[in-house]
Amino acid sequence: MPCPQAGVFHEASIAHQLRVLSNRANRKAEAMIHEAMHHEVTRMQGQVIGYLCTHSDRDVFQHNIEAVFFINRSTASKMLTSMEQSGLITRTAVARDARLKKIVPTDKSFQLFHRILQGMDQFEQLLRTGLSEEEVEELLRLLQKVQKNVE
C-alpha cells in the first residue's frame, strides 16, 4: 500500500520547520542561560529566581510559586528549602499571619538574575546573526501572522 502524502512531516512544511527551530532554539537557549548561571542552580530554580526578581515589588509566598509553576507543595517546599540553604532566598514571617512566610530573593539571586538576562541577550543576538534589521522586522511580522493563524 503506498504511503499517503507526507504533509506536516515534509521538510518544506511550516509546521515541521517551526518544530525543528523550536527544539533547537530551546536547547541552545537553555545551554546559554545555564552557562551564564555557571551551573549554580537548576533550570527550575533559575525560573523561580526570575519570577521572584521580576515580582520583588510584591509579597510572594510558596503557594504563588506552586500556582505559577504548576508544582505540588512538596516539590515547592524542597526546592525553596534548597534555595534558602544556598543563600538564594530568605523566608520571612508576615506580620498579619506568622504562619505565612514571604519569599524574598537575596542579592545573590539578583546577581544571578542579571547573568540570566545577559545569557538571554546573547541568545537573542545569536538568533539575529546574519540578518539585517529589515529581515528581523519581516521575520517578526511573518511570525506574528502565523501566530494569529493558529489562535
Side-chain angles (χ1 to χ4, degrees):
M1 176 189 227
C3 188
Q5 188 77 6
V8 296
F9 299 107
H10 191 270
E11 290 176 4
S13 82
I14 293 172
H16 175 75
Q17 290 301 318
L18 285 175
R19 186 171 31 261
V20 169
L21 175 61
S22 177
N23 289 342
R24 286 183 176 171
N26 284 334
R27 270 188 241 128
K28 185 67 172 180
E30 284 186 27
M32 290 180 78
I33 292 167
H34 197 61
E35 182 66 31
M37 295 185 299
H38 304 294
H39 310 284
E40 293 178 44
V41 296
T42 66
R43 187 175 124 212
M44 179 60 93
Q45 288 174 337
Q47 290 174 340
V48 170
I49 287 169
Y51 180 81
L52 292 172
C53 290
T54 56
H55 292 84
S56 61
D57 59 333
R58 62 188 83 151
D59 290 348
V60 176
F61 303 96
Q62 179 174 322
H63 65 85
N64 300 120
I65 301 297
E66 294 165 10
V68 168
F69 295 99
F70 301 99
I71 56 177
N72 63 39
R73 189 179 350 185
S74 172
T75 301
S77 179
K78 287 176 187 172
M79 179 180 57
L80 293 172
T81 297
S82 172
M83 291 175 74
E84 190 172 28
Q85 290 169 347
S86 299
L88 296 168
I89 62 167
T90 58
R91 290 193 259 197
T92 311
V94 179
R96 69 180 184 271
D97 186 346
R99 296 171 298 173
L100 280 177
K101 302 285 188 219
K102 179 170 66 168
I103 303 166
V104 181
T106 62
D107 286 342
K108 183 177 179 180
S109 275
F110 280 106
Q111 291 169 4
L112 206 50
F113 181 59
H114 180 70
R115 292 200 319 253
I116 291 168
L117 292 177
Q118 286 178 324
M120 291 169 67
D121 286 344
Q122 288 173 349
F123 179 65
E124 179 68 20
Q125 291 309 308
L126 176 70
L127 292 174
R128 291 170 178 254
T129 300
L131 298 175
S132 69
E133 197 55 43
E134 294 79 22
E135 289 171 322
V136 170
E137 289 174 15
E138 180 69 3
L139 177 59
L140 292 173
R141 186 186 69 74
L142 291 171
L143 289 171
Q144 288 170 352
K145 212 171 179 180
V146 172
Q147 286 180 42
K148 285 181 184 174
N149 290 344
V150 296
E151 285 178 354

